[in-house]
Amino acid sequence: MTGAPLLHVEHLTMRFGGLVAVDNLSFEAREAAITAVIGPNGAGKTTVFNCLTGFYPPTVGRLTLTRGGEAGFQLERMEGHRIAREAGIARTFQNIRLFPQMSVLENLMVAQHAELMRASVFSVAGLLGLPGYRAAARGAIDRARLWLDRIGLTERADDDAGNLPYGDQRRLEIARAMCARPALLCLDEPAAGLNARETAGLNALLLEIRETERIGILLIEHDMSVVMGISDHIVVLDYGRKIAEGKPAAMRDNPDVIRAYLGQEHGEAPPC
Amino acid sequence: MTTAATDRETPPFAAAAREAALTAAVALALTGPMIGLHAASQATGLVIETRWPEVAIAVALVFLGRFLLALLGRAFVWPVLAAGLAVAGGGLFVPFPNALLKAVCVAGGLIVALRAALMLVRPRMTAAARAKPALAARWVAPAAGAAMTAFALLLPVMPFADRQLLDLATLVVIYILLGWGLNIVVGLAGLLDLGYVAFYAVGAYSFALLAQYFAFSFWEALPLAGLFAAMFGVLLGFPVLRLRGDYLAIVTLGFGEMIRIVLTNWVALTRGPNGISGIPKPSFFGAPFARSPPEGTEAFHQIFDLAFSPMHRVIFLYYVALTLALLANVFILRIRTLPIGRAWEALREDEIACRALGLNPTSIKLSAFSLGAMFGGIAGCVFAARQSFISPESFSFIESAIILAIVVLGGMGSQIGVVCAAVLLIGLPEWFRELQDYRMLAFGGLMVMIMVWRPRGLLSHRDPTVRLPAARETPP
Amino acid sequence: MEYFLQQLINGLTLGAIYGLIAIGYTMVYGIVGMINFAHGEIYMIGAFIAVIAFAILGPLGGGGVVVALLVVLLVSMLLTAVYGWTLERLAYRPLRGSPRLAALISAIGMSIFLQNYVQLAQGARTKAMQPVITGGIEVMKGETFTVTLSYVQIMIMVLTLALMAGFWTVIARTPLGRAQRACEQDRAMAALLGVDVDRTISLTFVIGAALAAVAGTMVVLYYGVIDFFIGFLAGIKAFTAAVLGGIGSIPGAMLGGLLIGLIEAFWSGYFSIEYKDVAAFSILVLVLIFRPSGLLGRPEVEKV
């Protein structure tokens, strides 16, 4: 089912002053697979994302993204916007970061900026309304429509993104990331604040993305129904260190994982 | 409306009077020393002259105004409406020691009456009626734009259009152009630029210096002025655009001041505070506007077989400014719908999300900054041609503040809003020349009042740059 | 060497004045997150009130210079504080929670208004005043140049130090200071915990205005000449000082003020008077590029 290796994280360490947020972490993520990174609060999950997407330069470590046998991108040496554009890593944020005063459709168009910019040739072709640009703009709208249909927001395409209900905003952020045509999609707690029905919808959407787009998905999540329900591989962090990794079923019974979540003396399974 | 529970015990008039008395006491502290005691310079040193009647009237007016507003808050709508109108009307006939107090009395009365009237009207508006403006804006904006353009195009042939009015209209158009330019930077890209006047100055001085040293004509200098200003924008922008909002504001402010200081002190090049005079007016595609043109050229009135009139030149300059402004408008409306325009707005909304989507913030900011600068430069070039004389005095911080006020008062990002605000802030004060002394006072007060009344600007509605077209039938 | 020392003294005096104004900027920025653009005008008003008070006290005579000074200082602080309070109440409080630019425009509008108000009320011409305090100490006598430390300069520095110390105690020790710091961090939470946010913000403006009035009074004593336009440049430089020191940080404002004063004094002493403002701004740009949060400001951590 899962494809070729996509992302290699080797010996990633991130220090903030004296605090070691991520400590010598290595794992890999594959194409057409959902890799979940879990761990108690403060385990360093979001920091891993911030290093991957160029928000912080890591203190130590190699982050390599390899798409379809090409030479890999060394992410730790790239600026954030180049990682997104060239290496093809798109992400969502723990506290949603949409463009609230722009319409839903505009949000999806901004995600296709690089392509449209190329077609508009420094805006000159765009200003003149040349056919090449118009075709590209139509293509971008079609792609946006495809994703709007998938997340069920077609009706609200012209409304301000900031006026959408919370759950819709979460889905729109995923659609926006997908419009950027990523090779790796990083989702930072996509189920936070969703109700049970919305969570089930999210699971279906992520599985659909995995099947149809065959891209890698890296997922930070606390909601075990999401993690256990859809991930192919789980990496468990605690205090910045990897304490376990493997298939969901194996993680459920792993004593280290249980200890990290519930403390020493409990022997029960982690919340499912 | 806001009647507090405690007010039930005290009669409303007494409570309102107490509120008003407190406000009046503050007003006395404010006006007493500053207006009541005038430190006049005399040979023997400073001598105090008193002006107590003015203070008394000012404090009384404040008391009355606060009292009426306090009553309004206690739902005495009709009496307050009547009293407000009475005060305004009375103010017109009662003699005042100076015109300002009269104006304050009349305007204050009208404002109180207006607020009372609004309270009468508001509850009658249904929710649907209030929602309507948003829907209507979709066709109102283009219609209003078209009407304004038509009016602007026909202005010179209107019967009331004299030389003074057209001169003023040209100035208003220059400010509209400046407002639109700055709107790219502040309204769209969300970069707070308090030194926009620097680019205006670069444009004006480019033309003035090119004309003086190399005998460039207006048309030759115009593109260069825009280009120089844009280059300047890139040069300034490169180091400072990484800074966050308020730091950017103060640094741009600093640059604006630095340009003015350099222009003042580099006497060898710019003649310093004396300024540069004799800047040529634009010609009609090579034909000058002169009664007797130089040997070998034909003047405008000769080509069209008209009687010579100095008005031709004024009208032509107005149309030059208007054409440039309209071109700028078309350009900006179009570029807003292009990826770069959307990227500006996205950057204003959330820079971090932009980076995560592969947008390069520096280059996007730089493009907004330099494009805005270019329009500033072009406006400066037209300004130099209108004045024929420029000096560093025309490019002080207050100009930056006025242009920024035009953008923010108009409603950020709104093209028509800029036009309204420019007419309001530049056109109207020039109109009331008699109140010359109080012009800037009213200007500052107006800025505060409009902001308090409408914090998002006069026209703050934003239309999406792209709408989802109805689904096309997919071919089988 | 003597010349250097003299410029140092002049620079420190000027810097103390800038620093006092800068505190007003930095406090307001810290608590409401806006540039109080009209603060320079508040300082100017403080200076005018001081001049008027001196002009009244002058003929009355008696009581000695010290009493007169104290009276003038108190009157100026009190009346200027009313201006600060009114400014916040009329132009800023209605705009709390509005887009930041709205408050900035309102502030610029107020600045224009106050400038013209004073111009209309007191005339556009500069006001010159007989020096109140004369004389000084000869610190060092060189062959060609004598370094003097005037009594006014001593008074300015001592007063500034005393005010700084007092002010520091207020912020660090009193309930008001605690309320202020709480509002700075999270206004909504502070309100929930029973801090009167409106009152705290008003008091911040009042304190800032009173300090600016002290600066205005000192400028009157130091230069003896003022006009309605002095607020603009002093305001910009004081704000520059606040940013240079790290906006929101009170020691930073003082340090920034001193630095700007020194830069200005040395630049005009050794290079050219015309370009002294350019020097101050250039330093600001350099500092911001290499240390974007100012000298003593806490670095802003972007949170994702």
Side-chain angles (χ1 to χ4, degrees), chain B residues 24 41 154 190 200 236 281 365 367 370 432-433 442:
Chain B
S41 303
L154 293 177
Y200 188 38
L236 290 194
K281 299 275 181 192
K365 283 182 189 174
S367 66
S370 56
F432 295 108
R433 274 280 169 192

mmCIF file with all atom_site columns, all heavy atoms in Angstrom, chain B residues 24 41 154 190 200 236 281 365 367 370 432-433 442:
data_model
loop_
_atom_site.group_PDB
_atom_site.id
_atom_site.type_symbol
_atom_site.label_atom_id
_atom_site.label_alt_id
_atom_site.label_comp_id
_atom_site.label_asym_id
_atom_site.label_entity_id
_atom_site.label_seq_id
_atom_site.pdbx_PDB_ins_code
_atom_site.Cartn_x
_atom_site.Cartn_y
_atom_site.Cartn_z
_atom_site.occupancy
_atom_site.B_iso_or_equiv
_atom_site.pdbx_formal_charge
_atom_site.auth_seq_id
_atom_site.auth_comp_id
_atom_site.auth_asym_id
_atom_site.auth_atom_id
_atom_site.pdbx_PDB_model_num
ATOM 1   N N   . ALA B 1 24  ? -17.284 70.009 32.050  1.00 0.00 ? 24  ALA B N   1
ATOM 2   C CA  . ALA B 1 24  ? -16.979 71.427 31.942  1.00 0.00 ? 24  ALA B CA  1
ATOM 3   C C   . ALA B 1 24  ? -15.765 71.781 32.783  1.00 0.00 ? 24  ALA B C   1
ATOM 4   O O   . ALA B 1 24  ? -14.947 72.614 32.385  1.00 0.00 ? 24  ALA B O   1
ATOM 5   C CB  . ALA B 1 24  ? -18.186 72.258 32.379  1.00 0.00 ? 24  ALA B CB  1
ATOM 6   N N   . SER B 1 41  ? 4.769   88.267 23.793  1.00 0.00 ? 41  SER B N   1
ATOM 7   C CA  . SER B 1 41  ? 6.147   88.748 23.851  1.00 0.00 ? 41  SER B CA  1
ATOM 8   C C   . SER B 1 41  ? 6.149   90.262 23.718  1.00 0.00 ? 41  SER B C   1
ATOM 9   O O   . SER B 1 41  ? 5.578   90.811 22.786  1.00 0.00 ? 41  SER B O   1
ATOM 10  C CB  . SER B 1 41  ? 6.956   88.131 22.712  1.00 0.00 ? 41  SER B CB  1
ATOM 11  O OG  . SER B 1 41  ? 6.889   86.743 22.786  1.00 0.00 ? 41  SER B OG  1
ATOM 12  N N   . LEU B 1 154 ? -15.994 65.860 -17.291 1.00 0.00 ? 154 LEU B N   1
ATOM 13  C CA  . LEU B 1 154 ? -16.764 67.003 -17.764 1.00 0.00 ? 154 LEU B CA  1
ATOM 14  C C   . LEU B 1 154 ? -16.496 68.275 -16.963 1.00 0.00 ? 154 LEU B C   1
ATOM 15  O O   . LEU B 1 154 ? -16.950 69.352 -17.350 1.00 0.00 ? 154 LEU B O   1
ATOM 16  C CB  . LEU B 1 154 ? -18.263 66.677 -17.712 1.00 0.00 ? 154 LEU B CB  1
ATOM 17  C CG  . LEU B 1 154 ? -18.698 65.589 -18.703 1.00 0.00 ? 154 LEU B CG  1
ATOM 18  C CD1 . LEU B 1 154 ? -20.168 65.269 -18.532 1.00 0.00 ? 154 LEU B CD1 1
ATOM 19  C CD2 . LEU B 1 154 ? -18.411 66.024 -20.131 1.00 0.00 ? 154 LEU B CD2 1
ATOM 20  N N   . GLY B 1 190 ? -0.596  46.017 3.652   1.00 0.00 ? 190 GLY B N   1
ATOM 21  C CA  . GLY B 1 190 ? -0.592  46.139 5.102   1.00 0.00 ? 190 GLY B CA  1
ATOM 22  C C   . GLY B 1 190 ? 0.728   46.608 5.682   1.00 0.00 ? 190 GLY B C   1
ATOM 23  O O   . GLY B 1 190 ? 1.030   46.328 6.831   1.00 0.00 ? 190 GLY B O   1
ATOM 24  N N   . TYR B 1 200 ? 7.226   61.039 -3.195  1.00 0.00 ? 200 TYR B N   1
ATOM 25  C CA  . TYR B 1 200 ? 6.613   62.221 -3.809  1.00 0.00 ? 200 TYR B CA  1
ATOM 26  C C   . TYR B 1 200 ? 7.707   63.254 -4.094  1.00 0.00 ? 200 TYR B C   1
ATOM 27  O O   . TYR B 1 200 ? 7.804   63.806 -5.189  1.00 0.00 ? 200 TYR B O   1
ATOM 28  C CB  . TYR B 1 200 ? 5.598   62.744 -2.795  1.00 0.00 ? 200 TYR B CB  1
ATOM 29  C CG  . TYR B 1 200 ? 4.664   63.843 -3.208  1.00 0.00 ? 200 TYR B CG  1
ATOM 30  C CD1 . TYR B 1 200 ? 4.116   63.901 -4.477  1.00 0.00 ? 200 TYR B CD1 1
ATOM 31  C CD2 . TYR B 1 200 ? 4.280   64.816 -2.276  1.00 0.00 ? 200 TYR B CD2 1
ATOM 32  C CE1 . TYR B 1 200 ? 3.225   64.900 -4.806  1.00 0.00 ? 200 TYR B CE1 1
ATOM 33  C CE2 . TYR B 1 200 ? 3.387   65.804 -2.591  1.00 0.00 ? 200 TYR B CE2 1
ATOM 34  C CZ  . TYR B 1 200 ? 2.860   65.856 -3.854  1.00 0.00 ? 200 TYR B CZ  1
ATOM 35  O OH  . TYR B 1 200 ? 1.985   66.847 -4.169  1.00 0.00 ? 200 TYR B OH  1
ATOM 36  N N   . LEU B 1 236 ? 15.227  51.669 -0.343  1.00 0.00 ? 236 LEU B N   1
ATOM 37  C CA  . LEU B 1 236 ? 14.807  51.848 1.042   1.00 0.00 ? 236 LEU B CA  1
ATOM 38  C C   . LEU B 1 236 ? 14.205  50.571 1.590   1.00 0.00 ? 236 LEU B C   1
ATOM 39  O O   . LEU B 1 236 ? 14.427  50.200 2.739   1.00 0.00 ? 236 LEU B O   1
ATOM 40  C CB  . LEU B 1 236 ? 13.742  52.938 1.151   1.00 0.00 ? 236 LEU B CB  1
ATOM 41  C CG  . LEU B 1 236 ? 14.142  54.357 0.914   1.00 0.00 ? 236 LEU B CG  1
ATOM 42  C CD1 . LEU B 1 236 ? 13.037  55.264 1.410   1.00 0.00 ? 236 LEU B CD1 1
ATOM 43  C CD2 . LEU B 1 236 ? 15.399  54.657 1.696   1.00 0.00 ? 236 LEU B CD2 1
ATOM 44  N N   . LYS B 1 281 ? 5.848   73.687 -17.827 1.00 0.00 ? 281 LYS B N   1
ATOM 45  C CA  . LYS B 1 281 ? 4.537   73.034 -17.847 1.00 0.00 ? 281 LYS B CA  1
ATOM 46  C C   . LYS B 1 281 ? 4.550   71.997 -18.962 1.00 0.00 ? 281 LYS B C   1
ATOM 47  O O   . LYS B 1 281 ? 5.334   72.101 -19.907 1.00 0.00 ? 281 LYS B O   1
ATOM 48  C CB  . LYS B 1 281 ? 3.454   74.069 -18.156 1.00 0.00 ? 281 LYS B CB  1
ATOM 49  C CG  . LYS B 1 281 ? 3.357   75.166 -17.138 1.00 0.00 ? 281 LYS B CG  1
ATOM 50  C CD  . LYS B 1 281 ? 2.479   74.752 -15.992 1.00 0.00 ? 281 LYS B CD  1
ATOM 51  C CE  . LYS B 1 281 ? 2.376   75.885 -14.984 1.00 0.00 ? 281 LYS B CE  1
ATOM 52  N NZ  . LYS B 1 281 ? 1.785   75.460 -13.732 1.00 0.00 ? 281 LYS B NZ  1
ATOM 53  N N   . LYS B 1 365 ? 6.642   42.058 -0.625  1.00 0.00 ? 365 LYS B N   1
ATOM 54  C CA  . LYS B 1 365 ? 6.601   43.381 0.011   1.00 0.00 ? 365 LYS B CA  1
ATOM 55  C C   . LYS B 1 365 ? 7.319   44.410 -0.845  1.00 0.00 ? 365 LYS B C   1
ATOM 56  O O   . LYS B 1 365 ? 6.866   45.536 -1.021  1.00 0.00 ? 365 LYS B O   1
ATOM 57  C CB  . LYS B 1 365 ? 7.290   43.318 1.376   1.00 0.00 ? 365 LYS B CB  1
ATOM 58  C CG  . LYS B 1 365 ? 6.480   42.690 2.469   1.00 0.00 ? 365 LYS B CG  1
ATOM 59  C CD  . LYS B 1 365 ? 7.288   42.755 3.752   1.00 0.00 ? 365 LYS B CD  1
ATOM 60  C CE  . LYS B 1 365 ? 6.653   41.953 4.847   1.00 0.00 ? 365 LYS B CE  1
ATOM 61  N NZ  . LYS B 1 365 ? 7.508   41.906 6.037   1.00 0.00 ? 365 LYS B NZ  1
ATOM 62  N N   . SER B 1 367 ? 7.744   44.420 -4.016  1.00 0.00 ? 367 SER B N   1
ATOM 63  C CA  . SER B 1 367 ? 6.995   44.804 -5.211  1.00 0.00 ? 367 SER B CA  1
ATOM 64  C C   . SER B 1 367 ? 5.916   45.820 -4.843  1.00 0.00 ? 367 SER B C   1
ATOM 65  O O   . SER B 1 367 ? 5.713   46.804 -5.565  1.00 0.00 ? 367 SER B O   1
ATOM 66  C CB  . SER B 1 367 ? 6.380   43.573 -5.871  1.00 0.00 ? 367 SER B CB  1
ATOM 67  O OG  . SER B 1 367 ? 5.404   43.004 -5.039  1.00 0.00 ? 367 SER B OG  1
ATOM 68  N N   . SER B 1 370 ? 7.700   49.245 -4.029  1.00 0.00 ? 370 SER B N   1
ATOM 69  C CA  . SER B 1 370 ? 8.252   49.992 -5.160  1.00 0.00 ? 370 SER B CA  1
ATOM 70  C C   . SER B 1 370 ? 7.146   50.458 -6.104  1.00 0.00 ? 370 SER B C   1
ATOM 71  O O   . SER B 1 370 ? 7.235   51.537 -6.684  1.00 0.00 ? 370 SER B O   1
ATOM 72  C CB  . SER B 1 370 ? 9.290   49.154 -5.899  1.00 0.00 ? 370 SER B CB  1
ATOM 73  O OG  . SER B 1 370 ? 8.707   47.944 -6.302  1.00 0.00 ? 370 SER B OG  1
ATOM 74  N N   . PHE B 1 432 ? -12.934 76.572 1.949   1.00 0.00 ? 432 PHE B N   1
ATOM 75  C CA  . PHE B 1 432 ? -13.216 77.507 3.034   1.00 0.00 ? 432 PHE B CA  1
ATOM 76  C C   . PHE B 1 432 ? -11.981 78.346 3.328   1.00 0.00 ? 432 PHE B C   1
ATOM 77  O O   . PHE B 1 432 ? -11.447 78.305 4.422   1.00 0.00 ? 432 PHE B O   1
ATOM 78  C CB  . PHE B 1 432 ? -13.668 76.758 4.270   1.00 0.00 ? 432 PHE B CB  1
ATOM 79  C CG  . PHE B 1 432 ? -14.962 76.051 4.063   1.00 0.00 ? 432 PHE B CG  1
ATOM 80  C CD1 . PHE B 1 432 ? -15.007 74.677 3.952   1.00 0.00 ? 432 PHE B CD1 1
ATOM 81  C CD2 . PHE B 1 432 ? -16.137 76.771 3.944   1.00 0.00 ? 432 PHE B CD2 1
ATOM 82  C CE1 . PHE B 1 432 ? -16.201 74.030 3.748   1.00 0.00 ? 432 PHE B CE1 1
ATOM 83  C CE2 . PHE B 1 432 ? -17.334 76.124 3.740   1.00 0.00 ? 432 PHE B CE2 1
ATOM 84  C CZ  . PHE B 1 432 ? -17.373 74.745 3.639   1.00 0.00 ? 432 PHE B CZ  1
ATOM 85  N N   . ARG B 1 433 ? -11.559 79.068 2.322   1.00 0.00 ? 433 ARG B N   1
ATOM 86  C CA  . ARG B 1 433 ? -10.352 79.862 2.488   1.00 0.00 ? 433 ARG B CA  1
ATOM 87  C C   . ARG B 1 433 ? -10.499 80.900 3.590   1.00 0.00 ? 433 ARG B C   1
ATOM 88  O O   . ARG B 1 433 ? -9.524  81.278 4.230   1.00 0.00 ? 433 ARG B O   1
ATOM 89  C CB  . ARG B 1 433 ? -10.011 80.573 1.164   1.00 0.00 ? 433 ARG B CB  1
ATOM 90  C CG  . ARG B 1 433 ? -9.183  79.728 0.234   1.00 0.00 ? 433 ARG B CG  1
ATOM 91  C CD  . ARG B 1 433 ? -7.732  79.771 0.647   1.00 0.00 ? 433 ARG B CD  1
ATOM 92  N NE  . ARG B 1 433 ? -6.976  78.764 -0.090  1.00 0.00 ? 433 ARG B NE  1
ATOM 93  C CZ  . ARG B 1 433 ? -5.741  78.420 0.237   1.00 0.00 ? 433 ARG B CZ  1
ATOM 94  N NH1 . ARG B 1 433 ? -5.149  78.980 1.242   1.00 0.00 ? 433 ARG B NH1 1
ATOM 95  N NH2 . ARG B 1 433 ? -5.114  77.506 -0.452  1.00 0.00 ? 433 ARG B NH2 1
ATOM 96  N N   . ALA B 1 442 ? -9.361  72.370 12.109  1.00 0.00 ? 442 ALA B N   1
ATOM 97  C CA  . ALA B 1 442 ? -10.535 71.599 11.709  1.00 0.00 ? 442 ALA B CA  1
ATOM 98  C C   . ALA B 1 442 ? -10.101 70.285 11.074  1.00 0.00 ? 442 ALA B C   1
ATOM 99  O O   . ALA B 1 442 ? -10.703 69.237 11.284  1.00 0.00 ? 442 ALA B O   1
ATOM 100 C CB  . ALA B 1 442 ? -11.378 72.403 10.732  1.00 0.00 ? 442 ALA B CB  1
#
